[in-house]
Amino acid sequence: MSPHDHHHETPQLTPEQIEAALNPPAGRNGGDLVVETLQGLGATTVFGLPGQHALGMFDALRRSALSYVGLRVENNTGFAADAYGRVTGEVAPLLLSTGPGALTSLAALQEAAAASSPILAISSQIPTAGLGGGRHGYLHELRDQQASFRDIVKSVHTVRHASQIPSAIAAAWESALTAPHGPVWVEIPQDVLLAETTLPVVTAMDATPRDLDPRPELVAVAAHLLSHATRPVIIAGGGVVRSDAAGKLRALAEKVNAPVVSTFGGKGAFPWEHPLSLQSWMEDRHTTDFLESADVLLVVGSGLGELSSNYHTFAPRGRVIQIEADLGKLESNHPALGIHADARIALSEILEQAEERADETAAPAVAEVLAKVKSRIDSQELTFEQQILASVREALPAASPSFWDMTILAYWAWSAWPGALHSAQGAGGLGYGFPAAIGAAAADRTTPVLAVSGDGGAMYSIAELATARQYDLPVTWLIVDDGGYGILREYMTDAFGEATATELTRPDFVALAESFGVPAVRTTPESLGDDLAKSFVQPGPSVVVLPAVLKMFAPTHLG
């Protein structure tokens, strides 16, 4: 059989389809090819913010069946697309304009890259005549727009002619969904988007992501090491969640009796109350000590970066096996048996080859670590913070996702929140929570969504109250108002004895929300749970403001 026999058969068109291809509808432009391609790839919702050079794409939206969600700041639009990608596992198309519009999305794309969220950013570009780095003085002109994105996104795809549009978008789509997922960048000049086209309407496109399979000899070694370990332990990272591998992970942990700790990005990868669950206390020396004592440590879908290694104080003494789809993260922090593979495929194959390993000591050892963690936290008189977090957890419906900004309550949640959550801990920028919740609500309007911000982070996203109202999205926004950048206030006071540039003048958040037509309430620690519960059952958006100064638990990595 020759290699040429392996090609896909192109489906034959019916006579009607041939007729339609020969006589495409009039009045279509390059923008129509963009939206037709997105529909052919299976997109249903697009996020965006129009601008002068991008109007061809936006005009084409009204001739399509795509649902459009427009936010008020490009960075927030990117955060919304990021969350849509996280909750659906599908690609979120993001339509942007040239220059300032495109550049304003950069911080959101950095978060998507760090969190491996599949975003397909399609940006306009100045007219073709201005490309090539000359200084023509076009509005929004950059000498090399792609250069601003190349370091951040997973891949860059350029279009210079209408016939290139479908293939470039399909290639970008495949890149975004091939493990590790990530944001990708497509760039199309204004004149190409506006030019009338007589090309046939784009039908179904094939952009199936490639599987990232592990090498069989590495699977065999990993399965052998885990089966014959004395004290195996597993670290479950975000890759487990993204590849939908939680079931495989649990089966393997139970088969070899290995305790599992979930990283902050991997929350939800393993059942919180499972007897083998070490939960997520990554910033705790008792957890770090336990991980160091493992003779075989399986790290799945984590690069063991700063937050997952207790600020690089973690020094494993046993053999490390690292399963990671991002090649650059393999062995980047610790020597390991590095397996470059999608987490679900690798876990599935290791599970098949691993042998049952009985161990009566694993569950009691987990219980002992959790008891030590609890007594360390309890010794710090932080019941107020724990009660606030418990009130939020109790009020949130079980099926509802939550999105957390960089704020003290979120840092508590990384460690103490039972189960899955989404946060901006990949890149660590402010303003993620509320626009991300909007993106998740756009993916499923039947389920209320929670956003949590501090007053500082909230000010990044105030404009999106208008978006939540415009689309009537079921988002409840909890704003913890402590009068400034609370965590920076703590960091600076600890480091320098006093804080500078952390205190903020705030609006009356309740009155501000109401001015957007969004119901709002000022709550207290005692009434927080009830007020949140009420807001989750009422339709549309709402805001709950909690004036409170929260403290962080003491770190263990500064010894």
Side-chain angles (χ1 to χ4, degrees):
M1 197 177 178
S2 84
H4 302 292
D5 295 336
H6 282 295
H7 74 273
H8 288 296
E9 286 297 317
T10 304
Q12 293 289 307
L13 296 185
T14 63
E16 293 80 9
Q17 289 171 317
I18 292 171
E19 182 65 26
L22 290 170
N23 299 290
R28 288 161 63 249
N29 60 22
D32 287 277
L33 295 172
V34 172
V35 298
E36 289 164 10
T37 303
L38 292 174
Q39 278 181 239
L41 289 165
T44 54
T45 302
V46 299
F47 297 89
L49 207 161
Q52 183 180 327
H53 293 150
L55 295 180
M57 287 192 289
F58 285 84
D59 176 58
L61 279 175
R62 69 187 166 89
R63 292 186 287 281
S64 80
L66 292 170
S67 165
Y68 171 69
V69 179
L71 284 86
R72 307 308 171 93
V73 185
E74 284 86 358
N75 197 43
N76 295 339
T77 313
F79 284 146
D82 167 300
Y84 184 94
R86 289 193 203 195
V87 298
T88 62
E90 297 165 17
V91 179
L94 172 62
L95 308 183
L96 299 167
S97 192
T98 321
L103 295 176
T104 303
S105 73
L106 276 169
L109 294 176
Q110 185 191 356
E111 176 56 41
S116 298
S117 300
I119 295 179
L120 170 52
I122 305 176
S123 153
S124 56
Q125 177 54 298
I126 57 173
T128 314
L131 296 174
R135 310 300 281 142
H136 300 278
Y138 284 101
L139 186 72
H140 306 329
E141 181 177 291
L142 292 164
R143 276 174 303 188
D144 183 358
Q145 182 171 271
Q146 297 166 43
S148 299
F149 293 84
R150 200 172 277 113
D151 179 51
I152 289 172
V153 298
K154 198 177 157 190
S155 57
V156 168
H157 308 260
T158 54
V159 168
R160 293 295 175 256
H161 301 281
S163 56
Q164 299 172 2
I165 289 173
S167 294
I169 291 175
W173 182 282
E174 181 182 320
S175 172
L177 276 187
T178 295
H181 293 174
V184 295
W185 182 256
V186 178
E187 193 173 273
I188 312 174
Q190 177 189 27
D191 51 326
V192 177
L193 288 171
L194 291 177
E196 266 204 49
T197 182
T198 55
L199 287 168
V201 172
V202 181
T203 55
M205 294 286 295
D206 181 28
T208 312
R210 300 179 309 286
D211 278 343
L212 187 56
D213 294 312
R215 292 188 357 236
E217 71 277 17
L218 300 178
V219 169
V221 172
H224 179 85
L225 288 170
L226 287 165
S227 305
H228 297 94
T230 313
R231 287 185 311 283
V233 181
I234 298 172
I235 297 178
V240 176
V241 177
R242 284 187 292 279
S243 68
D244 199 16
K248 299 289 181 198
L249 175 75
R250 179 178 180 166
L252 180 63
E254 290 174 350
K255 190 170 189 179
V256 300
N257 262 294
V260 179
V261 65
S262 301
T263 69
F264 302 154
K267 289 182 76 72
F270 196 71
W272 191 256
E273 298 292 347
H274 193 286
L276 290 172
S277 173
L278 281 162
Q279 302 178 354
S280 303
W281 294 94
M282 299 302 289
E283 290 187 43
D284 188 283
R285 195 62 226 175
H286 300 302
T287 301
T288 309
D289 289 344
F290 188 78
L291 294 172
E292 287 179 352
S293 73
D295 65 331
V296 175
L297 183 70
L298 173 63
V299 183
V300 193
S302 169
L304 293 183
E306 190 174 45
L307 296 179
S308 305
S309 62
N310 205 353
Y311 299 92
H312 296 302
T313 60
F314 167 59
R317 296 196 294 276
R319 186 82 186 266
V320 178
I321 305 164
Q322 186 186 14
I323 299 169
E324 178 55 61
D326 185 337
L327 188 62
K329 289 181 182 174
L330 271 190
E331 294 194 86
S332 60
N333 285 307
H334 299 280
L337 176 75
I339 304 179
H340 183 221
D342 180 82
R344 189 174 45 77
I345 302 171
L347 285 171
S348 181
E349 295 188 11
I350 292 170
L351 175 64
E352 271 178 36
Q353 295 185 33
E355 299 158 32
E356 297 271 352
R357 196 192 75 90
D359 188 346
E360 303 298 315
T361 66
V366 166
E368 188 187 335
V369 173
L370 292 177
K372 285 180 184 168
V373 172
K374 185 179 186 311
S375 77
R376 184 178 85 80
I377 299 296
D378 287 350
S379 73
Q380 296 177 31
E381 295 176 12
L382 296 164
T383 48
F384 177 67
E385 286 74 6
Q386 292 179 78
Q387 280 165 357
I388 298 286
L389 197 63
S391 297
V392 178
R393 176 62 270 189
E394 216 168 295
L396 187 68
S400 288
S402 58
F403 293 85
W404 302 68
D405 216 328
M406 302 297 283
T407 185
I408 288 177
L409 192 59
Y411 302 163
W412 269 96
W414 290 350
S415 293
W417 181 265
L421 60 72
H422 304 278
S423 80
Q425 59 98 24
L430 273 177
Y432 176 80
F434 187 54
I438 285 174
D444 176 6
R445 293 164 183 269
T446 66
T447 306
V449 180
L450 171 68
V452 181
S453 301
D455 55 294
M459 291 302 291
Y460 278 63
S461 339
I462 288 298
E464 306 313 337
L465 281 167
T467 306
R469 180 75 285 160
Q470 181 167 345
Y471 297 100
D472 202 32
L473 294 167
V475 177
T476 291
W477 191 8
L478 171 61
I479 300 173
V480 182
D481 182 358
D482 66 3
Y485 299 121
I487 195 70
L488 301 179
R489 182 193 286 144
E490 280 206 15
Y491 290 161
M492 290 191 87
T493 307
D494 287 350
F496 311 115
E498 59 183 298
T500 305
T502 59
E503 304 318 295
L504 299 173
T505 296
R506 291 95 67 212
D508 176 340
F509 285 110
V510 171
L512 185 56
E514 286 171 345
S515 76
F516 284 92
V518 174
V521 60
R522 186 172 284 98
T523 191
T524 64
E526 296 71 33
S527 58
L528 173 63
D530 287 345
D531 286 333
L532 282 174
K534 276 183 213 151
S535 74
F536 289 129
V537 294
Q538 71 185 36
S542 56
V543 170
V544 177
V545 181
L546 173 67
V549 177
L550 305 180
K551 290 212 289 287
M552 206 48 218
F553 53 82
T556 63
H557 64 281
L558 302 174

